[in-house]
Amino acid sequence: MDTNQLVQCVPNFSEGRDLEKIEKIVEAFRITEGVKLLDYSNDEDHNRLVVTVVGQPVKVKEAVVEAVKRAIELIDMNQHEGQHPRMGAVDVIPFIPIRNFSVEEAVELSKEVAKELYERFELPSFLYENSASAPHRMNLAKLRKGQFEGMAEKVKTDEFKPDFGQSIHPTAGIVAVGARMPLVAFNVILDTSNLEIANQIARNVRHINGGLRFVKAIGIDMEDRGITQVSMNLTNYTKTPLYRVFELIRIEAKRYGIAVVGSEVIGLVPMDALIGTAEYYLGIENFSTEQVLEKRLME
Amino acid sequence: MDTNQLVQCVPNFSEGRDLEKIEKIVEAFRITEGVKLLDYSNDEDHNRLVVTVVGQPVKVKEAVVEAVKRAIELIDMNQHEGQHPRMGAVDVIPFIPIRNFSVEEAVELSKEVAKELYERFELPSFLYENSASAPHRMNLAKLRKGQFEGMAEKVKTDEFKPDFGQSIHPTAGIVAVGARMPLVAFNVILDTSNLEIANQIARNVRHINGGLRFVKAIGIDMEDRGITQVSMNLTNYTKTPLYRVFELIRIEAKRYGIAVVGSEVIGLVPMDALIGTAEYYLGIENFSTEQVLEKRLME
């Protein structure tokens, strides 16, 4: 095993109110050596807990399985209500390759975890995103449609038969487990108050309407500043890099006589996404990320 | 003490040939917990060993002192010859702030080390760069002029009285100890074979001729490609960032009808230098390096 491998995991649990239960679930990540708890946040309205951890794959797996065990013991979906759609006590477990770990390896890891959750706790699962067993099962929203209350019936259909298990868990429902690339939340700010134009530019650059492969985009108002932005999720920054998105939006905005005034990166972003940007604009030849001092420190 | 502090040290030792001695010196860094040996390279022609380490300040200090102890025992400067100018068994010890550590703190650390080297081993020192006790003592080349052989006389002058000690060590000479910012070796490649133009552009952008404060630059041939480059050391990338240097060279090159075709970064570069570049070109608003996933992993 390459001890230098890193995988991120962002499991979502259906408990956002009871701090004692939340702490017990989070504790599973605190007590596991080789796993770093980067963040966790609970939302009372959503009644949901989102945990962000990173570490060696085998350790992350161990911690996740322990956290799921606790969640199954603590959460009864028959009693659960909240604004966020959900289908299980653990709603979704995405594995995200960070370093020396391929998407294929993350898919493998997600399948191992799903298998273990079923074998140990009889928790059924859908494999989703890159781990999905069919294209129509890739999208989380589609899998979750009908939510916990409708899931007992839904899993009886051929289309949505679980990848592990046959029927839902009586109190914990079903979980989606899968591998995906890191998301980068990237917004490009436009010098116009016209939301229709921002939306038109969003349509021009996003995948669904014929734009870049790994871009999801909408126009939104920045009301306090009287301007707008193209708000995006980049679903694979290695294949659709930030600079390409930024420059394409600049080109599209030009048609409307509008300037790009800047951008925003929301939340965490992998170092490589920004270093790739610097490499492009400076035209750096033969650069290796091994030349980045901090990268060396992490080895 | 903030255990999150990191300082880099790049001590140069006057032994580049005897692998057994080299290994004994390098071992001082291997055996110290909390210090990471990033690199070491010995050059037989220069008869010199350059070690790159990083770690917690107190640990780096401990390892450096041990390495110097070994170098004093192993190296006799009266027997030393090599192409690289040198004035001591340990020629220079620069401390470079990397994380949560200011230049002022690095200066303080350099003075502690210099003091300890004198008290424990009677090794005298010049404080140089940001640690210098006077402007004429900042530059290493000026301090080292006359080399080991001329140093016994030189230190008798008021101008070059050691900061610690009065006379040189009989076998180990004298060492320069100080704090400096990380150097970034950054070359901008020009679409011209005319070295005179490359040199003229170098003069236009470098500090000594009226250019940017933290740029040292010369023009050099890239003979295999029939073009030239402006080859630079950026001595403080936080105050003279890469993009500013790159864009200024582009503007200067334009006068000669010459295009910039790309750039090179040689050796290690701090992550912030590249992230700052990405921030500039994408005009990212309100960005914090705490948003970089890898930065979080190192905490």
Side-chain angles (χ1 to χ4, degrees), chain A residues 147-176:
Chain A
Q147 300 196 48
F148 174 71
E149 290 74 10
M151 214 44 70
E153 286 306 307
K154 184 172 177 175
V155 299
K156 290 178 187 165
T157 65
D158 275 353
E159 227 181 331
F160 292 105
K161 185 182 172 306
D163 289 281
F164 292 92
Q166 275 89 39
S167 53
I168 68 164
H169 186 288
T171 57
I174 187 166
V175 60

Side-chain angles (χ1 to χ4, degrees), chain A residues 1-298:
Chain A
M1 190 195 62
D2 181 352
T3 57
N4 203 13
Q5 291 180 329
L6 279 185
V7 68
Q8 189 182 14
C9 187
V10 190
N12 287 217
F13 302 90
S14 294
E15 178 57 71
R17 296 171 188 170
D18 186 324
L19 295 179
E20 209 170 306
K21 291 181 181 177
I22 288 168
E23 186 47 44
K24 276 187 187 149
I25 294 168
V26 171
E27 193 197 36
F29 299 101
R30 292 195 206 277
I31 63 177
T32 309
E33 286 256 343
V35 170
K36 186 162 173 79
L37 179 64
L38 289 185
D39 187 48
Y40 68 99
S41 65
N42 58 303
D43 186 301
E44 296 203 0
D45 294 332
H46 289 180
N47 198 6
R48 194 174 177 89
L49 166 69
V50 180
V51 178
T52 305
V53 295
V54 70
Q56 296 171 33
V58 64
K59 298 296 181 181
V60 170
K61 175 182 167 182
E62 182 188 326
V64 167
V65 170
E66 175 63 27
V68 171
K69 178 170 180 266
R70 295 176 181 212
I72 293 172
E73 288 163 9
L74 295 167
I75 301 169
D76 180 355
M77 290 306 289
N78 300 290
Q79 313 299 324
H80 185 274
E81 55 89 21
Q83 281 172 21
H84 198 291
R86 76 288 178 273
M87 58 183 169
V90 189
D91 201 53
V92 57
I93 307 176
F95 291 98
I96 303 140
I98 299 294
R99 194 176 73 207
N100 293 349
F101 201 63
S102 66
V103 172
E104 292 70 30
E105 289 172 301
V107 166
E108 206 41 56
L109 181 68
S110 72
K111 289 180 180 175
E112 287 174 24
V113 168
K115 185 162 181 280
E116 188 164 337
L117 294 182
Y118 183 65
E119 289 176 354
R120 290 187 51 188
F121 316 126
E122 292 184 353
L123 183 70
S125 53
F126 296 123
L127 296 171
Y128 85 117
E129 285 279 357
N130 288 280
S131 306
S133 50
H136 74 276
R137 296 164 68 105
M138 290 178 73
N139 184 280
L140 179 63
K142 275 194 196 166
L143 292 172
R144 194 160 51 195
K145 203 173 170 194
Q147 300 196 48
F148 174 71
E149 290 74 10
M151 214 44 70
E153 286 306 307
K154 184 172 177 175
V155 299
K156 290 178 187 165
T157 65
D158 275 353
E159 227 181 331
F160 292 105
K161 185 182 172 306
D163 289 281
F164 292 92
Q166 275 89 39
S167 53
I168 68 164
H169 186 288
T171 57
I174 187 166
V175 60
V177 186
R180 63 164 172 81
M181 283 296 291
L183 284 185
V184 177
F186 182 53
N187 305 329
V188 175
I189 303 166
L190 304 173
D191 187 20
T192 178
S193 61
N194 189 328
L195 184 60
E196 189 35 53
I197 292 177
N199 266 313
Q200 188 53 53
I201 293 171
R203 283 191 288 271
N204 295 350
V205 301
R206 72 191 179 192
H207 182 237
I208 199 174
N209 294 96
L212 297 165
R213 171 72 185 88
F214 295 102
V215 175
K216 296 177 179 180
I218 54 167
I220 67 168
D221 258 324
M222 299 180 80
E223 286 177 18
D224 51 328
R225 292 168 63 177
I227 53 179
T228 55
Q229 62 176 219
V230 179
S231 177
M232 293 173 286
N233 269 323
L234 308 187
T235 55
N236 187 334
Y237 72 87
T238 65
K239 295 189 177 161
T240 302
L242 275 68
Y243 76 81
R244 192 175 301 150
V245 176
F246 185 78
E247 293 297 336
L248 188 58
I249 289 176
R250 177 139 70 188
I251 286 166
E252 292 292 333
K254 214 169 161 188
R255 296 181 62 178
Y256 304 95
I258 288 164
V260 164
V261 299
S263 70
E264 293 174 334
V265 171
I266 309 296
L268 293 179
V269 58
M271 178 170 76
D272 287 351
L274 298 175
I275 289 177
T277 302
E279 276 187 77
Y280 170 76
Y281 284 106
L282 299 181
I284 308 177
E285 299 181 351
N286 301 319
F287 188 74
S288 154
T289 53
E290 295 306 310
Q291 290 176 251
V292 178
L293 185 67
E294 282 82 351
K295 198 107 182 179
R296 300 287 301 278
L297 294 183
M298 293 184 299

